[in-house]
CSV table of all heavy atoms in Angstrom, one decimal:
chain,number,residue,atom,x,y,z
H,1,TRP,N,0.8,-1.2,0.0
H,1,TRP,CA,0.0,0.0,0.0
H,1,TRP,C,0.9,1.3,0.0
H,1,TRP,O,1.9,1.4,0.7
H,1,TRP,CB,-0.9,0.0,1.2
H,1,TRP,CG,-2.1,-0.9,1.2
H,1,TRP,CD1,-2.2,-2.1,1.8
H,1,TRP,CD2,-3.3,-0.7,0.3
H,1,TRP,NE1,-3.4,-2.7,1.5
H,1,TRP,CE2,-4.1,-1.8,0.6
H,1,TRP,CE3,-3.7,0.3,-0.5
H,1,TRP,CZ2,-5.3,-2.0,0.0
H,1,TRP,CZ3,-5.0,0.1,-1.1
H,1,TRP,CH2,-5.7,-1.0,-0.8
H,2,TYR,N,0.5,2.3,-0.8
H,2,TYR,CA,1.1,3.5,-0.9
H,2,TYR,C,0.1,4.6,-0.6
H,2,TYR,O,-1.0,4.5,-1.2
H,2,TYR,CB,1.8,3.8,-2.2
H,2,TYR,CG,3.0,2.9,-2.5
H,2,TYR,CD1,2.9,1.6,-3.1
H,2,TYR,CD2,4.3,3.3,-2.2
H,2,TYR,CE1,3.9,0.9,-3.3
H,2,TYR,CE2,5.4,2.5,-2.4
H,2,TYR,CZ,5.3,1.3,-3.0
H,2,TYR,OH,6.3,0.5,-3.3
H,3,CYS,N,0.5,5.7,0.0
H,3,CYS,CA,-0.4,6.9,0.2
H,3,CYS,C,0.0,7.9,-0.8
H,3,CYS,O,1.1,8.4,-0.8
H,3,CYS,CB,-0.3,7.4,1.6
H,3,CYS,SG,-1.3,8.8,2.0
H,4,VAL,N,-0.9,8.3,-1.7
H,4,VAL,CA,-0.7,9.4,-2.6
H,4,VAL,C,-1.7,10.5,-2.3
H,4,VAL,O,-2.8,10.3,-2.1
H,4,VAL,CB,-1.1,8.9,-4.1
H,4,VAL,CG1,-0.8,10.0,-5.0
H,4,VAL,CG2,-0.1,7.7,-4.4
H,5,GLU,N,-1.1,11.7,-2.3
H,5,GLU,CA,-1.9,12.9,-2.0
H,5,GLU,C,-1.5,14.0,-3.0
H,5,GLU,O,-0.3,14.3,-3.2
H,5,GLU,CB,-1.8,13.4,-0.6
H,5,GLU,CG,-2.6,14.6,-0.3
H,5,GLU,CD,-2.8,14.9,1.2
H,5,GLU,OE1,-2.5,14.0,2.0
H,5,GLU,OE2,-3.4,16.0,1.5
H,6,GLN,N,-2.5,14.7,-3.6
H,6,GLN,CA,-2.3,15.8,-4.6
H,6,GLN,C,-3.0,17.0,-4.1
H,6,GLN,O,-4.2,16.9,-3.7
H,6,GLN,CB,-2.8,15.3,-6.0
H,6,GLN,CG,-2.1,14.1,-6.5
H,6,GLN,CD,-2.9,13.4,-7.6
H,6,GLN,OE1,-2.8,13.9,-8.8
H,6,GLN,NE2,-3.6,12.4,-7.3
H,7,GLN,N,-2.3,18.1,-4.2
H,7,GLN,CA,-2.9,19.4,-4.0
H,7,GLN,C,-2.9,20.2,-5.2
H,7,GLN,O,-1.9,20.3,-6.0
H,7,GLN,CB,-2.1,20.2,-2.9
H,7,GLN,CG,-2.5,21.6,-2.7
H,7,GLN,CD,-1.4,22.5,-2.0
H,7,GLN,OE1,-0.3,22.0,-1.9
H,7,GLN,NE2,-1.7,23.7,-1.7
H,8,VAL,N,-4.1,20.9,-5.5
H,8,VAL,CA,-4.2,21.8,-6.6
H,8,VAL,C,-4.7,23.1,-6.1
H,8,VAL,O,-5.7,23.1,-5.4
H,8,VAL,CB,-5.1,21.3,-7.7
H,8,VAL,CG1,-5.3,22.3,-8.8
H,8,VAL,CG2,-4.5,20.0,-8.4
H,9,ARG,N,-4.0,24.2,-6.5
H,9,ARG,CA,-4.5,25.6,-6.3
H,9,ARG,C,-4.6,26.3,-7.6
H,9,ARG,O,-3.7,26.3,-8.3
H,9,ARG,CB,-3.6,26.3,-5.3
H,9,ARG,CG,-4.1,27.7,-5.0
H,9,ARG,CD,-3.0,28.5,-4.2
H,9,ARG,NE,-2.6,27.8,-3.0
H,9,ARG,CZ,-1.4,27.9,-2.4
H,9,ARG,NH1,-0.5,28.6,-3.0
H,9,ARG,NH2,-1.1,27.2,-1.3
H,10,MET,N,-5.8,26.8,-7.9
H,10,MET,CA,-6.0,27.4,-9.2
H,10,MET,C,-5.1,28.7,-9.3
H,10,MET,O,-4.9,29.4,-8.3
H,10,MET,CB,-7.5,27.8,-9.3
H,10,MET,CG,-8.4,26.7,-9.4
H,10,MET,SD,-8.1,25.4,-10.7
H,10,MET,CE,-8.5,26.5,-12.1
H,11,ASN,N,-4.7,29.0,-10.5
H,11,ASN,CA,-4.0,30.3,-10.7
H,11,ASN,C,-5.0,31.4,-10.8
H,11,ASN,O,-6.2,31.2,-11.1
H,11,ASN,CB,-3.2,30.2,-12.1
H,11,ASN,CG,-4.1,30.0,-13.3
H,11,ASN,OD1,-4.7,28.9,-13.4
H,11,ASN,ND2,-4.2,31.0,-14.1
H,12,ARG,N,-4.4,32.6,-10.5
H,12,ARG,CA,-5.2,33.8,-10.8
H,12,ARG,C,-5.3,33.9,-12.3
H,12,ARG,O,-4.4,33.6,-13.1
H,12,ARG,CB,-4.5,35.1,-10.2
H,12,ARG,CG,-4.5,35.1,-8.7
H,12,ARG,CD,-3.7,36.3,-8.2
H,12,ARG,NE,-2.3,36.1,-8.5
H,12,ARG,CZ,-1.3,36.9,-8.2
H,12,ARG,NH1,-1.6,38.1,-7.7
H,12,ARG,NH2,0.0,36.7,-8.5
H,13,PRO,N,-6.5,34.3,-12.9
H,13,PRO,CA,-6.7,34.2,-14.3
H,13,PRO,C,-5.7,35.0,-15.1
H,13,PRO,O,-5.3,34.6,-16.3
H,13,PRO,CB,-8.1,34.9,-14.5
H,13,PRO,CG,-8.8,34.5,-13.2
H,13,PRO,CD,-7.8,34.6,-12.2
H,14,GLU,N,-5.1,36.1,-14.5
H,14,GLU,CA,-4.1,36.9,-15.3
H,14,GLU,C,-2.7,36.4,-15.1
H,14,GLU,O,-1.7,37.0,-15.6
H,14,GLU,CB,-4.2,38.4,-14.8
H,14,GLU,CG,-3.8,38.7,-13.4
H,14,GLU,CD,-4.8,38.3,-12.4
H,14,GLU,OE1,-5.8,37.8,-12.6
H,14,GLU,OE2,-4.5,38.7,-11.2
H,15,SER,N,-2.4,35.4,-14.2
H,15,SER,CA,-1.1,35.0,-13.8
H,15,SER,C,-0.9,33.5,-14.0
H,15,SER,O,-1.8,32.7,-14.0
H,15,SER,CB,-0.8,35.3,-12.4
H,15,SER,OG,-1.0,36.7,-12.1
H,16,ALA,N,0.4,33.1,-14.1
H,16,ALA,CA,0.8,31.7,-14.1
H,16,ALA,C,1.3,31.4,-12.8
H,16,ALA,O,2.5,31.1,-12.6
H,16,ALA,CB,1.8,31.4,-15.2
H,17,ASP,N,0.4,31.3,-11.8
H,17,ASP,CA,0.8,31.0,-10.4
H,17,ASP,C,0.0,29.9,-9.7
H,17,ASP,O,-0.1,29.8,-8.5
H,17,ASP,CB,0.7,32.3,-9.5
H,17,ASP,CG,-0.7,32.9,-9.5
H,17,ASP,OD1,-1.6,32.3,-10.2
H,17,ASP,OD2,-0.9,33.9,-8.9
H,18,GLY,N,-0.5,29.0,-10.6
H,18,GLY,CA,-1.2,27.8,-10.0
H,18,GLY,C,-0.2,26.8,-9.4
H,18,GLY,O,1.0,26.8,-9.8
H,19,VAL,N,-0.7,26.0,-8.6
H,19,VAL,CA,0.1,25.1,-7.8
H,19,VAL,C,-0.3,23.7,-7.9
H,19,VAL,O,-1.5,23.4,-7.8
H,19,VAL,CB,0.1,25.5,-6.3
H,19,VAL,CG1,0.9,24.5,-5.4
H,19,VAL,CG2,0.8,26.9,-6.1
H,20,LEU,N,0.6,22.8,-8.1
H,20,LEU,CA,0.4,21.3,-8.0
H,20,LEU,C,1.5,20.7,-7.1
H,20,LEU,O,2.7,21.0,-7.3
H,20,LEU,CB,0.4,20.7,-9.4
H,20,LEU,CG,0.4,19.1,-9.3
H,20,LEU,CD1,-0.9,18.5,-8.7
H,20,LEU,CD2,0.7,18.5,-10.7
H,21,ARG,N,1.1,20.1,-6.0
H,21,ARG,CA,2.0,19.4,-5.1
H,21,ARG,C,1.6,17.9,-5.0
H,21,ARG,O,0.3,17.7,-5.0
H,21,ARG,CB,2.1,20.1,-3.8
H,21,ARG,CG,2.7,21.5,-3.8
H,21,ARG,CD,3.0,22.0,-2.4
H,21,ARG,NE,3.6,23.3,-2.4
H,21,ARG,CZ,2.9,24.5,-2.3
H,21,ARG,NH1,1.6,24.4,-2.1
H,21,ARG,NH2,3.5,25.6,-2.4
H,22,VAL,N,2.5,17.1,-4.8
H,22,VAL,CA,2.3,15.7,-4.7
H,22,VAL,C,3.1,15.1,-3.5
H,22,VAL,O,4.3,15.4,-3.5
H,22,VAL,CB,2.6,14.9,-6.0
H,22,VAL,CG1,2.2,13.4,-5.7
H,22,VAL,CG2,1.8,15.4,-7.2
H,23,TRP,N,2.5,14.3,-2.7
H,23,TRP,CA,3.2,13.6,-1.5
H,23,TRP,C,3.0,12.1,-1.8
H,23,TRP,O,1.9,11.6,-2.1
H,23,TRP,CB,2.5,14.0,-0.2
H,23,TRP,CG,2.7,15.4,0.2
H,23,TRP,CD1,3.7,15.8,1.1
H,23,TRP,CD2,2.0,16.6,-0.1
H,23,TRP,NE1,3.5,17.2,1.3
H,23,TRP,CE2,2.5,17.7,0.6
H,23,TRP,CE3,0.8,16.7,-1.0
H,23,TRP,CZ2,2.0,18.9,0.4
H,23,TRP,CZ3,0.3,18.0,-1.1
H,23,TRP,CH2,0.9,19.1,-0.4
H,24,LEU,N,4.0,11.4,-1.4
H,24,LEU,CA,4.0,9.9,-1.4
H,24,LEU,C,4.4,9.4,0.0
H,24,LEU,O,5.5,9.7,0.4
H,24,LEU,CB,4.9,9.3,-2.5
H,24,LEU,CG,4.9,7.8,-2.6
H,24,LEU,CD1,3.6,7.3,-3.2
H,24,LEU,CD2,6.1,7.3,-3.5
H,25,ASP,N,3.5,8.8,0.6
H,25,ASP,CA,3.7,8.3,2.0
H,25,ASP,C,4.1,9.5,2.9
H,25,ASP,O,5.0,9.3,3.8
H,25,ASP,CB,4.7,7.2,2.1
H,25,ASP,CG,4.2,5.9,1.5
H,25,ASP,OD1,2.9,5.7,1.4
H,25,ASP,OD2,5.0,5.0,1.0
H,26,GLY,N,3.5,10.6,2.7
H,26,GLY,CA,3.8,11.8,3.5
H,26,GLY,C,5.0,12.6,3.1
H,26,GLY,O,5.3,13.6,3.8
H,27,ARG,N,5.7,12.2,2.1
H,27,ARG,CA,6.9,12.9,1.7
H,27,ARG,C,6.6,13.6,0.4
H,27,ARG,O,6.2,13.0,-0.6
H,27,ARG,CB,8.1,12.0,1.5
H,27,ARG,CG,9.4,12.6,1.1
H,27,ARG,CD,10.5,11.6,1.1
H,27,ARG,NE,10.3,10.5,0.1
H,27,ARG,CZ,10.7,10.5,-1.1
H,27,ARG,NH1,11.4,11.6,-1.6
H,27,ARG,NH2,10.5,9.5,-1.9
H,28,ARG,N,6.8,15.0,0.4
H,28,ARG,CA,6.6,15.7,-0.9
H,28,ARG,C,7.6,15.4,-1.9
H,28,ARG,O,8.8,15.5,-1.7
H,28,ARG,CB,6.6,17.2,-0.5
H,28,ARG,CG,6.0,18.1,-1.7
H,28,ARG,CD,5.8,19.5,-1.3
H,28,ARG,NE,7.0,20.2,-1.1
H,28,ARG,CZ,7.0,21.5,-0.5
H,28,ARG,NH1,5.9,22.0,-0.1
H,28,ARG,NH2,8.1,22.0,-0.4
H,29,ILE,N,7.1,14.9,-3.1
H,29,ILE,CA,8.0,14.5,-4.1
H,29,ILE,C,7.9,15.3,-5.4
H,29,ILE,O,8.7,15.1,-6.3
H,29,ILE,CB,7.8,13.0,-4.4
H,29,ILE,CG1,6.2,12.8,-4.9
H,29,ILE,CG2,8.1,12.1,-3.3
H,29,ILE,CD1,6.0,11.3,-5.4
H,30,PHE,N,6.9,16.2,-5.5
H,30,PHE,CA,6.7,17.0,-6.7
H,30,PHE,C,6.1,18.3,-6.3
H,30,PHE,O,5.2,18.3,-5.5
H,30,PHE,CB,5.8,16.2,-7.7
H,30,PHE,CG,5.7,16.9,-9.0
H,30,PHE,CD1,6.5,16.8,-10.1
H,30,PHE,CD2,4.6,17.8,-9.2
H,30,PHE,CE1,6.4,17.4,-11.3
H,30,PHE,CE2,4.3,18.4,-10.4
H,30,PHE,CZ,5.3,18.3,-11.4
H,31,GLU,N,6.5,19.3,-7.0
H,31,GLU,CA,5.9,20.7,-6.8
H,31,GLU,C,6.1,21.5,-8.1
H,31,GLU,O,7.2,21.5,-8.6
H,31,GLU,CB,6.6,21.4,-5.6
H,31,GLU,CG,6.0,22.7,-5.4
H,31,GLU,CD,6.7,23.5,-4.2
H,31,GLU,OE1,7.9,23.8,-4.2
H,31,GLU,OE2,5.9,23.7,-3.2
H,32,LYS,N,5.0,22.1,-8.5
H,32,LYS,CA,5.0,23.0,-9.6
H,32,LYS,C,4.2,24.2,-9.2
H,32,LYS,O,3.0,24.1,-8.8
H,32,LYS,CB,4.5,22.3,-10.9
H,32,LYS,CG,4.7,23.1,-12.1
H,32,LYS,CD,4.3,22.3,-13.4
H,32,LYS,CE,4.5,23.0,-14.7
H,32,LYS,NZ,5.9,23.5,-14.9
H,33,THR,N,4.8,25.4,-9.3
H,33,THR,CA,4.1,26.6,-8.7
H,33,THR,C,3.9,27.7,-9.8
H,33,THR,O,3.6,28.8,-9.5
H,33,THR,CB,4.9,27.2,-7.6
H,33,THR,OG1,6.2,27.5,-8.1
H,33,THR,CG2,5.0,26.2,-6.4
H,34,ASP,N,4.0,27.3,-11.1
H,34,ASP,CA,3.9,28.3,-12.2
H,34,ASP,C,2.8,27.8,-13.2
H,34,ASP,O,2.9,28.1,-14.4
H,34,ASP,CB,5.2,28.5,-12.9
H,34,ASP,CG,5.8,27.2,-13.5
H,34,ASP,OD1,5.2,26.1,-13.2
H,34,ASP,OD2,6.8,27.3,-14.2
H,35,LEU,N,1.8,27.1,-12.7
H,35,LEU,CA,0.8,26.5,-13.6
H,35,LEU,C,-0.2,27.6,-14.1
H,35,LEU,O,-0.5,28.5,-13.3
H,35,LEU,CB,0.0,25.4,-12.8
H,35,LEU,CG,0.5,24.0,-12.9
H,35,LEU,CD1,-0.3,23.2,-11.9
H,35,LEU,CD2,0.4,23.5,-14.3
H,36,ARG,N,-0.6,27.4,-15.3
H,36,ARG,CA,-1.7,28.2,-15.9
H,36,ARG,C,-2.8,27.3,-16.3
H,36,ARG,O,-2.7,26.6,-17.3
H,36,ARG,CB,-1.2,29.1,-17.1
H,36,ARG,CG,-2.2,30.2,-17.4
H,36,ARG,CD,-1.9,30.8,-18.8
H,36,ARG,NE,-0.5,31.1,-18.9
H,36,ARG,CZ,0.0,32.4,-18.5
H,36,ARG,NH1,-0.8,33.3,-18.1
H,36,ARG,NH2,1.3,32.6,-18.7
H,37,LEU,N,-3.8,27.1,-15.4
H,37,LEU,CA,-4.9,26.2,-15.7
H,37,LEU,C,-6.1,26.9,-16.4
H,37,LEU,O,-6.9,26.3,-17.1
H,37,LEU,CB,-5.4,25.6,-14.4
H,37,LEU,CG,-4.4,24.7,-13.7
H,37,LEU,CD1,-4.9,24.2,-12.4
H,37,LEU,CD2,-4.0,23.4,-14.6
H,38,ARG,N,-6.1,28.3,-16.1
H,38,ARG,CA,-7.3,29.0,-16.6
H,38,ARG,C,-6.9,30.4,-17.0
H,38,ARG,O,-5.9,31.0,-16.5
H,38,ARG,CB,-8.4,29.1,-15.6
H,38,ARG,CG,-7.9,29.7,-14.3
H,38,ARG,CD,-9.0,29.8,-13.3
H,38,ARG,NE,-8.5,30.5,-12.1
H,38,ARG,CZ,-9.2,30.7,-11.0
H,38,ARG,NH1,-10.4,30.3,-10.9
H,38,ARG,NH2,-8.6,31.3,-9.9
H,39,LYS,N,-7.8,31.0,-17.8
H,39,LYS,CA,-7.6,32.5,-18.2
H,39,LYS,C,-8.8,33.2,-17.7
H,39,LYS,O,-8.9,34.5,-17.9
H,39,LYS,CB,-7.3,32.7,-19.7
H,39,LYS,CG,-6.0,32.0,-20.1
H,39,LYS,CD,-5.9,32.2,-21.6
H,39,LYS,CE,-4.5,31.5,-22.1
H,39,LYS,NZ,-4.4,31.6,-23.5
H,40,ILE,N,-9.8,32.5,-17.3
H,40,ILE,CA,-11.1,33.1,-16.9
H,40,ILE,C,-11.5,32.5,-15.5
H,40,ILE,O,-11.2,31.4,-15.1
H,40,ILE,CB,-12.2,32.8,-17.8
H,40,ILE,CG1,-12.4,31.3,-18.1
H,40,ILE,CG2,-12.0,33.5,-19.2
H,40,ILE,CD1,-13.6,31.0,-18.9
H,41,ASP,N,-12.1,33.3,-14.7
H,41,ASP,CA,-12.4,33.0,-13.3
H,41,ASP,C,-13.4,31.8,-13.2
H,41,ASP,O,-13.5,31.1,-12.2
H,41,ASP,CB,-13.0,34.2,-12.6
H,41,ASP,CG,-13.2,33.9,-11.1
H,41,ASP,OD1,-12.2,33.7,-10.3
H,41,ASP,OD2,-14.4,33.9,-10.7
H,42,ARG,N,-14.2,31.6,-14.2
H,42,ARG,CA,-15.3,30.6,-14.2
H,42,ARG,C,-14.8,29.2,-14.0
H,42,ARG,O,-15.4,28.3,-13.4
H,42,ARG,CB,-16.1,30.7,-15.4
H,42,ARG,CG,-17.3,29.7,-15.5
H,42,ARG,CD,-18.1,29.9,-16.8
H,42,ARG,NE,-17.3,29.8,-18.0
H,42,ARG,CZ,-16.9,28.6,-18.5
H,42,ARG,NH1,-17.3,27.5,-17.9
H,42,ARG,NH2,-16.2,28.6,-19.6
H,43,LEU,N,-13.6,28.9,-14.5
H,43,LEU,CA,-13.0,27.6,-14.3
H,43,LEU,C,-12.4,27.5,-12.9
H,43,LEU,O,-11.6,28.2,-12.5
H,43,LEU,CB,-11.9,27.4,-15.4
H,43,LEU,CG,-12.3,27.4,-16.8
H,43,LEU,CD1,-11.1,27.1,-17.7
H,43,LEU,CD2,-13.4,26.5,-17.2
H,44,ARG,N,-12.9,26.4,-12.2
H,44,ARG,CA,-12.4,26.1,-10.9
H,44,ARG,C,-12.2,24.6,-10.7
H,44,ARG,O,-12.0,24.0,-11.7
H,44,ARG,CB,-13.4,26.7,-9.8
H,44,ARG,CG,-13.6,28.2,-10.0
H,44,ARG,CD,-14.3,28.8,-8.8
H,44,ARG,NE,-14.4,30.2,-9.0
H,44,ARG,CZ,-14.7,31.1,-8.0
H,44,ARG,NH1,-15.0,30.6,-6.8
H,44,ARG,NH2,-14.8,32.4,-8.3
């Protein structure tokens, strides 16, 4: 058994500041803080 956890924070529509973090068994193994998931506020 492995514990996988993912965090997503939406970017501000005018910025590339979205966040994706991933933990495996409580240890953070991946982080990206320059995501652009949307250009409009309606997408959440």
Side-chain angles (χ1 to χ4, degrees):
W1 285 105
Y2 292 88
C3 178
V4 177
E5 183 163 347
Q6 298 163 83
Q7 172 197 9
V8 172
R9 182 188 304 151
M10 299 299 295
N11 64 290
R12 291 174 292 176
E14 70 280 4
S15 303
D17 59 0
V19 172
L20 170 64
R21 294 189 179 99
V22 181
W23 292 261
L24 183 68
D25 291 337
R27 181 172 63 91
R28 191 166 72 192
I29 58 171
F30 183 87
E31 179 178 66
K32 190 169 177 60
T33 59
D34 59 352
L35 271 173
R36 194 191 311 270
L37 298 172
R38 62 179 179 180
K39 297 177 182 177
I40 57 174
D41 184 68
R42 179 178 58 80
L43 297 185
R44 300 196 177 193

